[in-house]
Every structure is written in structure tokens, then in C-alpha cells.
Amino acid sequence: MRALFLHGSPDAPDARVETLGDDALPDGGVRIAVTHSSLNYKDGLAVTGRGKIIRGAFPFVPGIDAAGSVIASEDDAWAPGDDVILTGWGTGETQWGGFSDTAVAAPEHLVRMPAGWTAARAMDFGTAGLTAALALLAIRHGSAMGGITSGRAVVTGASGGVGSVAVGLLAHAGFEVTAMTGTEAAHDTLRALGAAHIAGRDALSEGPPLAKALWEAAVDTVGGAPLARILATTGRPGVVAACGNAASADLATTVFPFILRGVTLAGIDSNTATPEQRTTAWALLSEADAAGAFAALETTTVPLADVPEWAEKIVRGETVGRVVIDTRA
């Protein structure tokens, strides 16, 4: 197996592309020939040592996503040649991940590749796409006062992976989308993905704990003060799907949006989403993709050796759209 190994420690990782014998991987489960992975914000934190992501012993192979085909399986659910997607379940955190040309996974952690997709296309979305799709499902499921299927929606961190996919999904679903981003270079792409409005980060300035309702749905990827302002400006009975902390992990808010407008704050945890939820979310992405919702999705493909460089970029907020990793290059 050829992989990006992190040596050293979680706080000071030293990344190197190395080749080891296949016996370096554990026996059992489903063995996968990985052709593509993707770089997510969490991966950036792991590779740069800026976040306590990895909880496995070093040396360690990061990468929370992987896509490829089954080489061998001890479970009847999977056969050699099956095309699969692996995301979450501790991949790249507690067990070796997708920044490798070979991986081993528990059979229940795999999802079948949607018809017509390649591994590369699956990783154009990866965990970011899965998270965005789960957020839309949470918005549609709604609250005790009903689901949200149309109206105004806002996406924070819209130029990032989750944000850009969320813009495309919400627009395809019929929402009037406001994309919030501090990356001016992403404006044209976001409009092509379906954003009706573009707003800067300063649009969520300080204000009262309950303000004029500006939208009925939201996908927040940044947390902190922006999430607090989203809650204060969401109308009745809105749903806010929260899935990130790029701005801050803190949240200073009041109960007013919840008790006076019936706003629901839905947390999105793609890491431990059930197999049924994952299958539904990937089908949602596949359907929207087939309809052309992501024709403008911006992706960059890089080889394993360039992952440390791009990890720095994604942590600094210098990437637009999705970064796909060709594990064979």
C-alpha cells in the first residue's frame, strides 16, 4: 500500500508519502482499492496539527473519505469489483483513512456508489456533500411545527466544500438562496450554482437577540457569532442546520428564536449518520447532480504528495469548492 503517513505526534505531524506491504493493514472486513479521496476542513486540521482530530497511534494515515472498488470481502454484502464510498465512522481519526491506495473498512460502514458515478465524482462531494445533503434532509424534516420545503435560505461559508454543495442543493430544491462568503473570487461560481444573492461575512453584524426575519432555512458551516445572528434572523418556524465551527465553537444566543418563533437548531453529524440516512443523502446528491445542479461545482484534483500544501490552504480558508485527491498519483 502507498499512503500519506503522518509521523511525529498529533500536535506536530510530519507528513510523508511511503509504501508499505499490504500486511500493514488489519485483516478482516472489506479491503478496498482506493482511487480517490478528498480534502475536508477536518483533514486540514489533522494534517497540519491545528486540531485534535487523530486519536489513533502514530504513524497514521489520515483522510476521512475514500472511494474505489472492493478487492476482497469476508461479508456476503460485498463482492470484489463493487464500487463503494467510505466516509466517517472514525475513518482518518481512529483508524487509518483514505489518503492511501488501499483501505480496510467494516462492511456496514460502506455505501454503494450511485449509478453512473465514478470514484472521482463521488469525491467531488465526499463528506462535504454528504453533510450538505443531511442538512437539507434536516430542513425538510423540520420541527414540530412542520418541515421547510421552500422559501428563503442562507448558507454561510458558501465558498467552501459544504457551503458550495449546500447552495447547489438548496437552489435545486427550489429555495431562494443567499450565499455568504468572504471570498470574492467565488461569487460567479456561487451564482452559477444557483445563489440568488451574494452577501459578505459582515452581513451578519451584531443586533438584537430577535431581529427581522430574513429566511426560513439555513445551513451554517462556521458557528460562533454568525450562527447566533442566523438564529436571530430566522423566521417562523425555520430550521437552521449547523455543521461547522470555522469561525468559533462558541455560541452566545438567547432562547427567543426557539420559544417565540419555533426555530429549530438541527445539528448535523455526518460521521455517525446511519446507513439509511447515508443512502438517502447520496441518492439526493446523485439526483441533483443528474439534473445538472452541480455543473458549476469547482473542484481541484491533487496528488498525495501535495496534500500537506493544500491542507494549509484549506485551514487558512484559501480554497474554493472541493479538493479531490488522486491516491494513485
Side-chain angles (χ1 to χ4, degrees), residues 168-227:
L169 273 178
L170 286 164
H172 175 69
F175 286 87
E176 179 185 331
V177 181
T178 295
M180 288 193 172
T181 179
T183 306
E184 188 172 349
H187 287 190
D188 289 345
T189 296
L190 291 170
R191 289 191 181 95
L193 284 168
H197 313 285
I198 306 289
R201 293 169 181 160
D202 56 357
L204 293 173
S205 57
E206 293 184 4
L210 202 64
K212 178 182 177 181
L214 301 177
W215 26 69
E216 288 72 49
V219 177
D220 175 69
T221 72
V222 299
L227 175 54

Side-chain angles (χ1 to χ4, degrees), residues 1-6 15-19 34-39 47 61-63 65 97-102 301-311 323-329:
M1 62 172 289
R2 177 176 174 270
L4 181 78
F5 287 90
L6 298 182
R16 312 173 205 164
V17 176
E18 298 175 336
T19 301
V34 179
T35 63
H36 292 81
S37 183
S38 72
L39 183 70
V47 174
V61 179
D65 292 345
F99 293 174
S100 172
D101 63 8
T102 313
T301 301
V302 302
L304 273 177
D306 289 355
V307 168
E309 173 190 349
W310 282 89
V323 179
V324 177
I325 300 164
D326 186 338
T327 61
R328 305 159 300 178

Side-chain angles (χ1 to χ4, degrees), residues 112-134:
R112 294 190 186 278
M113 191 83 66
W117 271 12
T118 63
R121 189 54 174 168
M123 291 296 95
D124 284 345
F125 299 100
T127 284
L130 175 63
T131 301
L134 291 170

Side-chain angles (χ1 to χ4, degrees), residues 76-107:
D76 292 340
W78 303 103
D82 286 346
D83 294 326
V84 295
I85 301 172
L86 170 65
T87 63
W89 299 114
T91 304
E93 298 180 62
T94 59
Q95 56 195 22
W96 283 8
F99 293 174
S100 172
D101 63 8
T102 313
V104 171

Side-chain angles (χ1 to χ4, degrees), residues 213-218 230-236 238-240 261 263:
L214 301 177
W215 26 69
E216 288 72 49
I230 291 290
L231 290 168
T233 52
T234 297
R236 182 181 296 108
V239 178
V240 178
R261 287 184 178 166
V263 172

Side-chain angles (χ1 to χ4, degrees), residues 26-72:
D27 294 328
V30 183
R31 189 170 291 256
I32 307 160
V34 179
T35 63
H36 292 81
S37 183
S38 72
L39 183 70
N40 301 279
Y41 185 74
K42 183 182 284 188
D43 297 314
L45 294 175
V47 174
T48 61
R50 288 185 174 86
K52 295 182 179 180
I53 304 300
I54 297 172
R55 300 185 298 281
F58 274 48
F60 192 83
V61 179
I64 63 176
D65 292 345
S69 59
V70 173
I71 301 171

Side-chain angles (χ1 to χ4, degrees), residues 8-9 39 47-48 50 54 57 71 123 137 148-149 164 166 189 210 232 248 253-254 259 278 282-283 287 293 321 329:
S9 68
L39 183 70
V47 174
T48 61
R50 288 185 174 86
I54 297 172
I71 301 171
M123 291 296 95
L137 291 172
I148 310 297
T149 57
S164 57
T189 296
L210 202 64
S248 174
T253 187
T254 70
I259 65 173
R278 291 169 187 268
W282 285 112
E287 181 273 329

Side-chain angles (χ1 to χ4, degrees), residues 154-165:
V154 62
V155 178
T156 61
S159 64
V162 177
S164 57
V165 177

